[in-house]
Amino acid sequence: MEKCLKDLDMKLCIAMINSDVHENGKDLPRLVYEPVLPFYSHSADPSSVMKRDEQEDENEEDSLLLQLPQLEMPLPDINKAIGFELDAYTKVREVDLGDELVTVWRQGEPPEVQDLSVDSYFITQNDQAFKIKTNKETGMVSSFANFEDTRGPLSLSITECKRITSQFLYKLYPDANRYFYINEVISDTENHKVAFHFTLIYEGIPFGLAYLSVNETTGNIDSFLRT
């Protein structure tokens, strides 16, 4: 958490504080701090996108984009894959976003509010929290983030984390290998995580991005985001 806050860049802006989304919101404009989020880009020119099977060199390290393996058995249970046990958590809040529902869960008591600083606000909102966004009609998980600092007995390799990543994506998207191409793998040894950045491609045309991280000490997926 401290590392994330250290690298976080905030900007001051005016925003409407909606009472349906924000606690104590009064549907009035307020001065708020918003994070300047990093982003990942991809070329809009399909001719510039190199796929693994189009390269002469089959070495993975030289490939720009790596397609998911085609024969990965999906994980049997999404909640187990992300380390979420319903009985162990208390629902903190729920936000209706129309087609989707955001639910925030936490184990134990929430942290005390120390002051009115940005750091204190993020700690209060996110510390030891589990945020899950689901499709209201299908119940499918569309994104989630686990802010718990969890450590386990494992020491998984990048290859093993990649297999878990593939299994998770096949559980959500049975034809994931048709769209998900790995464009970057980052090993965060300090936080014991391996992050996978994906470009989504259909018939040679990039149409989206996705991010997924695996805790190499538990084998659980700690976060997933698709845009």
Side-chain angles (χ1 to χ4, degrees):
M1 176 65 71
E2 292 181 0
K3 181 178 183 298
C4 294
L5 293 175
K6 178 182 177 182
D7 298 333
L8 189 63
D9 186 16
M10 306 292 292
K11 66 177 180 180
L12 185 64
C13 61
I14 298 176
M16 292 293 294
I17 306 302
N18 191 300
S19 59
D20 292 333
V21 177
H22 301 280
E23 187 175 352
N24 298 324
K26 296 183 179 180
D27 298 314
L28 295 173
R30 291 285 188 269
L31 284 173
V32 298
Y33 284 96
E34 289 188 348
V36 179
L37 300 176
F39 63 91
Y40 304 92
S41 61
H42 53 71
S43 174
D45 179 8
S47 64
S48 68
V49 179
M50 298 175 62
K51 298 180 183 178
R52 184 181 180 190
D53 56 4
E54 295 174 350
Q55 299 182 66
E56 295 180 359
D57 188 353
E58 293 296 330
N59 190 332
E60 288 190 358
E61 295 180 354
D62 297 329
S63 298
L64 182 60
L65 292 177
L66 301 177
Q67 192 173 21
L68 285 181
Q70 297 188 20
L71 299 176
E72 288 284 358
M73 293 297 293
L75 293 165
D77 182 79
I78 290 294
N79 285 343
K80 185 177 180 180
I82 65 179
F84 179 75
E85 296 182 12
L86 182 60
D87 294 339
Y89 289 84
T90 300
K91 184 188 294 186
V92 178
R93 59 185 178 273
E94 192 172 78
V95 180
D96 192 330
L97 299 180
D99 294 336
E100 294 182 310
L101 199 64
V102 177
T103 310
V104 181
W105 305 82
R106 180 179 276 122
Q107 294 191 76
E109 296 297 323
E112 295 183 3
V113 178
Q114 301 296 326
D115 50 50
L116 298 179
S117 66
V118 174
D119 289 3
S120 180
Y121 171 79
F122 273 94
I123 290 174
T124 303
Q125 293 292 308
N126 298 326
D127 191 53
Q128 300 300 308
F130 211 124
K131 300 185 177 183
I132 305 176
K133 181 187 290 185
T134 56
N135 184 288
K136 289 170 63 177
E137 182 177 348
T138 65
M140 178 183 292
V141 174
S142 55
S143 67
F144 74 92
N146 182 358
F147 294 94
E148 297 176 302
D149 186 15
T150 306
R151 294 289 182 270
L154 305 178
S155 181
L156 300 177
S157 65
I158 291 180
T159 299
E160 290 171 316
C161 290
K162 180 181 177 182
R163 178 179 58 81
I164 294 172
T165 297
S166 298
Q167 291 176 319
F168 177 79
L169 290 175
Y170 276 109
K171 181 66 176 181
L172 293 181
Y173 311 100
D175 53 355
N177 64 297
R178 296 179 57 190
Y179 310 109
F180 284 84
Y181 291 82
I182 300 174
N183 60 28
E184 189 174 15
V185 179
I186 300 176
S187 179
D188 183 355
T189 55
E190 181 179 348
N191 294 298
H192 306 283
K193 299 180 188 295
V194 178
F196 296 85
H197 296 192
F198 297 88
T199 296
L200 277 62
I201 301 174
Y202 178 68
E203 295 186 352
I205 305 298
F207 68 91
L209 301 170
Y211 168 88
L212 191 154
S213 67
V214 179
N215 186 320
E216 61 187 10
T217 70
T218 64
N220 294 333
I221 297 168
D222 278 351
S223 61
F224 171 66
L225 174 66
R226 175 183 168 182
T227 62

Coordinates of all heavy atoms in Angstrom, one line a residue, residues 1 9 40 52 61 67 92 94 107 115 118-119 131 140 148 156 160 202:
M1 N 0.8 -1.2 0.0 CA 0.0 0.0 0.0 C 0.9 1.3 0.0 O 0.6 2.2 -0.7 CB -0.9 0.0 1.2 CG -1.8 1.2 1.4 SD -3.0 1.5 0.0 CE -4.1 0.1 0.4
D9 N 0.1 9.7 -8.5 CA 0.1 11.1 -8.9 C -1.4 11.6 -8.9 O -2.2 10.9 -9.5 CB 0.7 11.3 -10.3 CG 0.8 12.7 -10.7 OD1 0.7 13.6 -9.8 OD2 1.0 13.0 -11.9
Y40 N -1.7 1.9 -20.9 CA -0.9 1.2 -21.9 C -1.6 1.3 -23.2 O -2.8 1.3 -23.4 CB -0.9 -0.3 -21.4 CG -0.4 -0.5 -20.1 CD1 -1.2 -0.5 -19.0 CD2 1.0 -0.6 -19.8 CE1 -0.7 -0.7 -17.7 CE2 1.5 -0.7 -18.6 CZ 0.7 -0.8 -17.5 OH 1.1 -0.9 -16.2
R52 N 3.0 -14.0 -32.7 CA 4.0 -15.0 -32.5 C 4.2 -15.9 -33.7 O 5.3 -16.2 -34.2 CB 3.8 -15.9 -31.3 CG 4.9 -16.8 -31.0 CD 4.6 -17.6 -29.7 NE 5.7 -18.6 -29.5 CZ 5.6 -19.5 -28.6 NH1 4.5 -19.7 -27.9 NH2 6.6 -20.4 -28.5
E61 N 11.1 -14.8 -25.9 CA 11.7 -13.6 -25.5 C 11.7 -12.5 -26.6 O 11.8 -11.3 -26.4 CB 13.1 -13.8 -24.9 CG 13.1 -14.6 -23.6 CD 14.5 -14.8 -23.1 OE1 15.4 -14.3 -23.7 OE2 14.6 -15.3 -22.0
Q67 N 0.3 -15.4 -27.9 CA -1.0 -15.9 -27.7 C -1.2 -16.9 -26.6 O -0.2 -17.6 -26.3 CB -1.5 -16.6 -29.0 CG -2.9 -16.9 -29.1 CD -3.3 -17.4 -30.5 OE1 -2.5 -17.9 -31.3 NE2 -4.6 -17.2 -30.8
V92 N -19.2 -4.3 2.9 CA -19.1 -2.9 3.4 C -20.0 -2.0 2.6 O -20.7 -1.2 3.2 CB -17.6 -2.5 3.2 CG1 -17.4 -1.0 3.6 CG2 -16.6 -3.4 3.9
E94 N -22.3 -1.5 -1.5 CA -22.6 -2.0 -2.8 C -23.1 -0.8 -3.6 O -23.9 0.0 -3.2 CB -23.7 -3.0 -2.7 CG -24.0 -3.8 -3.9 CD -24.9 -5.0 -3.7 OE1 -26.1 -4.7 -3.6 OE2 -24.4 -6.1 -3.5
Q107 N -12.5 -8.1 5.6 CA -12.4 -9.0 6.8 C -12.0 -8.1 8.0 O -11.1 -7.3 7.9 CB -11.3 -10.1 6.7 CG -11.7 -11.1 5.6 CD -10.7 -12.3 5.6 OE1 -10.8 -13.1 6.5 NE2 -9.8 -12.3 4.7
D115 N -7.0 11.3 9.4 CA -7.1 12.8 9.1 C -7.8 12.9 7.8 O -8.4 11.9 7.3 CB -5.7 13.4 9.0 CG -4.7 12.6 8.1 OD1 -5.1 12.2 7.0 OD2 -3.6 12.3 8.6
V118 N -5.3 12.8 1.5 CA -5.5 11.8 0.5 C -5.1 10.4 0.9 O -5.7 9.4 0.6 CB -4.8 12.2 -0.8 CG1 -4.9 11.2 -1.9 CG2 -5.4 13.6 -1.3
D119 N -3.9 10.3 1.6 CA -3.4 9.0 2.0 C -4.4 8.4 2.9 O -4.7 7.2 2.8 CB -2.1 9.2 2.7 CG -0.9 9.6 1.8 OD1 -1.2 9.7 0.6 OD2 0.2 9.7 2.2
K131 N -12.7 -5.7 -3.7 CA -13.7 -5.0 -4.5 C -13.9 -5.9 -5.8 O -13.0 -6.2 -6.5 CB -13.2 -3.6 -4.9 CG -12.9 -2.7 -3.8 CD -12.6 -1.3 -4.2 CE -12.4 -0.4 -3.0 NZ -12.2 1.0 -3.5
M140 N -21.4 -12.7 -14.0 CA -20.0 -12.9 -14.4 C -19.1 -11.8 -13.8 O -19.5 -10.6 -13.8 CB -19.8 -12.9 -15.9 CG -18.3 -13.1 -16.3 SD -18.1 -13.1 -18.1 CE -18.9 -14.7 -18.5
E148 N -5.7 -6.9 0.1 CA -5.2 -7.5 1.2 C -3.7 -7.9 1.0 O -3.3 -8.2 -0.1 CB -6.0 -8.8 1.6 CG -7.4 -8.6 1.9 CD -8.2 -9.9 2.1 OE1 -8.2 -10.7 1.2 OE2 -8.7 -10.1 3.2
L156 N 5.9 -19.6 -6.8 CA 5.6 -19.9 -8.2 C 6.5 -19.2 -9.2 O 6.9 -18.1 -9.0 CB 4.1 -19.6 -8.5 CG 3.1 -20.3 -7.6 CD1 1.7 -19.8 -8.0 CD2 3.2 -21.8 -7.7
E160 N 4.4 -20.9 -14.2 CA 3.3 -21.4 -13.4 C 2.2 -20.3 -13.2 O 1.0 -20.6 -13.3 CB 3.8 -21.8 -12.0 CG 4.6 -23.1 -12.1 CD 5.3 -23.4 -10.8 OE1 5.8 -22.5 -10.1 OE2 5.3 -24.6 -10.4
Y202 N -9.0 -8.9 -32.4 CA -9.9 -9.7 -33.2 C -9.7 -9.5 -34.7 O -9.7 -8.4 -35.2 CB -11.4 -9.3 -32.9 CG -12.4 -10.0 -33.7 CD1 -12.6 -11.4 -33.4 CD2 -13.1 -9.4 -34.6 CE1 -13.5 -12.1 -34.1 CE2 -14.1 -10.1 -35.4 CZ -14.3 -11.5 -35.1 OH -15.2 -12.2 -35.8

